Structures are given as structure tokens and as C-alpha cells.
């Protein structure tokens, strides 16, 4: 073990001794209470220790490891890196190839992550991160790759907040379509659309929920944009499952699905996707005239889909006939298929 490593370790130990202090009053309110004199407490000097460790970030004179990303090199300290990252801990202490006095580790990163590796590394020293909408994805990927759960958590909280804010603009104008359309152009909605797939890839449940909720409240606008045609099957499926969708009518959602299915991108999987997604349309919430239009459509004549559509529309007619008398008949329609979404057009059949 070289001298610089000993100096660093000694400095860290000095600060750690301050954290676990003894012989202090149990709590401030009992300062003069002799019953608690002599009891031990834990003192914490978090700010000071972070500031002291932060001074070592990228300092060559006491570094015992070099991290190289492309043409950029960062001077690091094994004990700090290993404490903050499980991956670095394994890499630095369980790998024989890094036993030289000043080992150099070459790390392979995507261009997106290379740009933010420095501020990611600084987080391990300071517990602070400079983040914005552009850098959030790269930083989150680095936190996940190197096993830094605390950074992953704060990134997720930041991203959730930047999708949640848009709901405040929309909820106040639920019945005002014009105002709602203006809110839909909010950059926070764009964040939700951009981050939804990423949140699923990293299984960030809170962010998944918040992104989908924001998208659902802006569905009316989304379904009329060119972006809708390029969404993948998983996104469309998740959207159609949501009861939070704010749309004109269920029939408009059905037409938007047909447009998505008719895209050239789906030509080879048209029937497979149609069989998966059509049951997610809530036919019972359509008006009778809309159901009849579907029965007269070319889609209804498709031999591969006709049986499925007949079954779905038959359920819709049955719901219409029985629903007013369901209590007397002891019948319930509690499945999502029968439940309404948030419709802007409240017109009903006579």
C-alpha cells in the first residue's frame, strides 16, 4: 500500500471518528436533566465530512487509480469509489490486474454517458449532482450501471417531478378543451413521452406511473400527432389499458388505433397487433350508432378479425341492455372493459 493511500485513509478515519461521538446530552430538551447525564448519543457532522471528502475529487497528488473514458482521464481514490459504488468496489478490490501503484482502468461508455461521467463521479465525492432535463438520462444510466442506488433515487425523483407538474396545468381545465390543448404542449408532457420507455427499461415503478398518468391526461393531443404513428406496441397497449385517458369519446380512440394499425410499420403484424389491442377498446362506452358503423366497416369484414369483433360488440350490446337493470338482475360490470374513461364529449344515446 503506497504513502498517498495511507494519507487518504488516515484523513478519512479522522473524519469518521467525528461521526460516532459519545457522552452527549440525550436530547436538547433534557440538557439540564440529570437523569440522562452520562448517556451516549451519536453526533453527526455530515456537511463537514462531505466537504472534506469532496476536496479529493479528481486530485492527482493523492490518487491511487485512474479512470479513463475515451480521451478523458479522472484521478480517483479506491476507498471513496468503492464506498459509493458496488461495481467499483468489485472492480478495484476483487480484480488482481489493478494491483500496481497507479493502475489505469479503461471504461467503455456510450457517447451520451461520456458527457456526464465527470459529474457522476463527483457525486461519489460530494453527494451532489448538477442535473437538467438533457443530462438526466445519461446520469441515470451511469447510476444504474455502476450500482449507485442513492443517485438513481434522486434522478428518479427529479424526473417524476418534471412529469408531475404538467398535471397541475391540465386538471384545472378538464372541461375546457381549448385550455387543455394548450397545456398539452407543455415541455413536461414531452418529458413523460421521452422517459416512459426508459422508466420501463429500468423498472422505475414510480416514474412509470407518473409518466403514464401525464400521457393519459394529454392523450387527446397525442392521438392526433405524427408521433402517435411511431409508438411501439408496448406503449400503445399500456395507453389503452389506462382508465385515466382524457379523450373526446371511446370511438375516437378506436379510430386512432386503426390509424396506428394501418401504418406501414405494422403491415406485417397487423392481425397479431389487432387481436392484442382491440379487446382494450371499451366498446360498451360507445354510442349505438358508433357500434353500427364498426359493424359496417371493412375491418369488421376481415375474416381473421370478424369473430373477435362480433364477440366484443355483442358484449357492448348486452351491457347496454342489462346495465339499467343490473341491480335487479344481480349482474355487475366491474371489469375495465365496461368502465368509462375521462370523456370530454358527454353525449349519450336517447
Amino acid at each position: 500500500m503506497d504513502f498517498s493511500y495511507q494519507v487518504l485513509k488516515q484523513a478519512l478515519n479522522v473524519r469518521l471518528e467525528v461521526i460516532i461521538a459519545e457522552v452527549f446530552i440525550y436530547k436538547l430538551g433534557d440538557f439540564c436533566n440529570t437523569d440522562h447525564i452520562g448517556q451516549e448519543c451519536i453526533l453527526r457532522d455530515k456537511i463537514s465530512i462531505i466537504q472534506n471528502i469532496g476536496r479529493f475529487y479528481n486530485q492527482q497528488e493523492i490518487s491511487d487509480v485512474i479512470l479513463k473514458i475515451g480521451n478523458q482521464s479522472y484521478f480517483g481514490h479506491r476507498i471513496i469509489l468503492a464506498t459509493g459504488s458496488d461495481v467499483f468496489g468489485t472492480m478495484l478490490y476483487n480484480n488482481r490486474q489493478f494491483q500496481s501503484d497507479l493502475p489505469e482502468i479503461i471504461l467503455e461508455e456510450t457517447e451520451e454517458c461520456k458527457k456526464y461521467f465527470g459529474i457522476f463521479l463527483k457525486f461519489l465525492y460530494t453527494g451532489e449532482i448538477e442535473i437538467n432535463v438533457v443530462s438526466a438520462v445519461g446520469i441515470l444510466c451511469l447510476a444504474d450501471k455502476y450500482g449507485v442506488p442513492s443517485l438513481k433515487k434522486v434522478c428518479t425523483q427529479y424526473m417524476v417531478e418534471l412529469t408531475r407538474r404538467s398535471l397541475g396545468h391540465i386538471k384545472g381545465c378538464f372541461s375546457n378543451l381549448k385550455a387543455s390543448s394548450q397545456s398539452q404542449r407543455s415541455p413536461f408532457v414531452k418529458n413523460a413521452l421521452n422517459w416512459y420507455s426508459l422508466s420501463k427499461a429500468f423498472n422505475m415503478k414510480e416514474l412509470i406511473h407518473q409518466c403514464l398518468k401525464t400521457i393519459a391526461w394529454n392523450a387527446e393531443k397525442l392521438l392526433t400527432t405524427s408521433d402517435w404513428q411511431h409508438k411501439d406496441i408496448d406503449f400503445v397497449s399500456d395507453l389503452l389499458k389506462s382508465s385515466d385517458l382524457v379523450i373526446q369519446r371511446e370511438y375516437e380512440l378506436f379510430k386512432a388505433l386503426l390509424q396506428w394499425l394501418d401504418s406501414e410499420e405494422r403491415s406485417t403484424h397487423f392481425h397479431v397487433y389487432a387481436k392484442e389491442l382491440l379487446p382494450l377498446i371499451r366498446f360498451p362506452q360507445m354510442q349505438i350508432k358508433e357500434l353500427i358503423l364498426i359493424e359496417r366497416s371493412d375491418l369488421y369484414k376481415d375474416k381473421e378479425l370478424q369473430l373477435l369483433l362480433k364477440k366484443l360488440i355483442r358484449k357492448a350490446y348486452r351491457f347496454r341492455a342489462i346495465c339499467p337493470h343490473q341491480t335487479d338482475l344481480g349482474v355487475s360490470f366491474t371489469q375495465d372493459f365496461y368502465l368509462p374513461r375521462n370523456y370530454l364529449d358527454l353525449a349519450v344515446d336517447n
Side-chain angles (χ1 to χ4, degrees):
M1 184 178 295
D2 59 23
F3 176 74
S4 63
Y5 184 76
Q6 293 176 353
V7 171
L8 174 61
K9 186 174 181 181
Q10 183 178 5
L12 289 173
N13 286 338
V14 169
R15 298 309 307 156
L16 289 172
E17 289 174 2
V18 176
I19 294 179
I20 306 177
E22 297 181 352
V23 192
F24 192 65
I25 302 304
Y26 184 67
K27 55 184 177 180
L28 186 60
D30 296 325
F31 187 83
C32 298
N33 190 334
T34 56
D35 292 340
H36 297 298
I37 292 178
Q39 289 192 9
E40 297 180 352
C41 296
I42 296 178
L43 294 177
R44 289 184 174 84
D45 188 14
K46 294 181 179 179
I47 296 177
S48 180
I49 192 170
I50 289 175
Q51 290 175 343
N52 278 277
I53 295 177
R55 290 183 302 156
F56 295 122
Y57 168 68
N58 205 21
Q59 294 299 307
Q60 181 177 7
E61 60 269 20
I62 57 172
S63 170
D64 60 353
V65 65
I66 297 176
L67 305 177
K68 188 168 184 180
I69 315 291
N71 296 325
Q72 182 70 44
S73 294
Y74 299 92
F75 297 100
H77 312 83
R78 294 198 213 189
I79 190 170
I80 296 177
L81 298 178
T83 300
S85 161
D86 293 339
V87 174
F88 278 135
T90 300
M91 187 183 298
L92 295 170
Y93 287 104
N94 296 326
N95 197 321
R96 293 182 180 180
Q97 74 180 79
F98 304 125
Q99 295 302 313
S100 58
D101 291 338
L102 197 62
E104 180 177 275
I105 303 176
I106 299 176
L107 301 174
E108 298 293 334
E109 301 295 343
T110 63
E111 291 301 319
E112 178 71 15
C113 290
K114 283 181 182 178
K115 293 185 291 185
Y116 307 114
F117 189 85
I119 57 178
F120 158 75
L121 193 63
K122 191 174 182 179
F123 176 84
L124 301 182
Y125 286 77
T126 65
E128 297 179 346
I129 193 79
E130 295 180 15
I131 191 171
N132 55 45
V133 173
V134 177
S135 65
V137 173
I139 294 172
L140 178 63
C141 290
L142 288 168
D144 182 75
K145 178 179 179 179
Y146 289 99
V148 187
S150 58
L151 179 55
K152 188 175 178 179
K153 180 179 180 180
V154 297
C155 280
T156 301
Q157 291 173 340
Y158 170 81
M159 296 166 82
V160 165
E161 181 61 24
L162 288 191
T163 58
R164 178 185 289 123
R165 289 183 186 181
S166 61
L167 294 179
H169 300 296
I170 299 170
K171 288 180 178 178
C173 53
F174 175 76
S175 60
N176 188 325
L177 180 58
K178 182 178 179 180
S180 181
S181 296
Q182 293 174 348
S183 299
Q184 291 158 356
R185 291 189 283 271
S186 163
F188 301 117
V189 179
K190 184 178 180 180
N191 293 339
L193 289 167
N194 291 338
W195 293 339
Y196 182 69
S197 296
L198 178 78
S199 65
K200 293 200 71 175
F202 286 100
N203 193 31
M204 297 184 293
K205 295 181 180 179
E206 184 181 6
L207 185 58
I208 292 172
H209 171 76
Q210 195 58 56
C211 285
L212 187 57
K213 191 172 182 179
T214 299
I215 293 168
W217 275 82
N218 290 273
E220 178 70 15
K221 178 66 175 178
L222 171 63
L223 297 177
T224 61
T225 65
S226 58
D227 289 344
W228 168 246
Q229 303 296 327
H230 303 294
K231 294 302 178 184
D232 61 33
I233 178 69
D234 291 333
F235 177 90
V236 175
S237 177
D238 290 344
L239 190 71
L240 295 182
K241 291 174 183 176
S242 174
S243 294
D244 295 325
L245 295 187
V246 177
I247 51 178
Q248 283 291 327
R249 305 191 309 276
E250 191 71 23
Y251 186 65
E252 297 302 319
L253 184 61
F254 170 76
K255 290 196 297 183
L257 175 58
L258 290 189
Q259 292 176 352
W260 184 86
L261 288 170
D262 286 335
S263 167
E264 290 185 9
E265 299 177 36
R266 262 72 65 178
S267 58
T268 57
H269 299 90
F270 177 85
H271 289 101
V272 174
Y273 290 162
K275 290 177 181 178
E276 178 179 343
L277 298 175
L278 282 172
L280 301 179
I281 296 293
R282 302 183 181 184
F283 292 92
Q285 292 301 322
M286 293 186 189
Q287 296 182 34
I288 297 297
K289 63 182 180 180
E290 294 169 339
L291 295 173
I292 292 175
L293 284 175
I294 295 174
E295 289 179 308
R296 294 174 178 175
S297 68
D298 291 336
L299 184 72
Y300 193 82
K301 298 173 185 177
D302 189 307
K303 292 182 179 180
E304 287 196 45
L305 300 176
Q306 191 176 67
L307 186 61
L308 173 62
L309 283 170
K310 278 186 177 180
K311 179 181 178 181
L312 296 172
I313 293 178
R314 189 184 304 120
K315 285 184 176 181
Y317 285 138
R318 181 176 182 272
F319 171 81
R320 288 307 191 97
I322 298 178
C323 189
H325 314 287
Q326 59 178 317
T327 302
D328 296 335
L329 297 174
V331 178
S332 62
F333 297 94
T334 57
Q335 300 97 325
D336 288 344
F337 178 72
Y338 296 103
L339 302 180
R341 307 183 203 263
N342 298 311
Y343 300 119
L344 296 169
D345 184 347
L346 301 179
V348 296
D349 291 318
N350 293 329

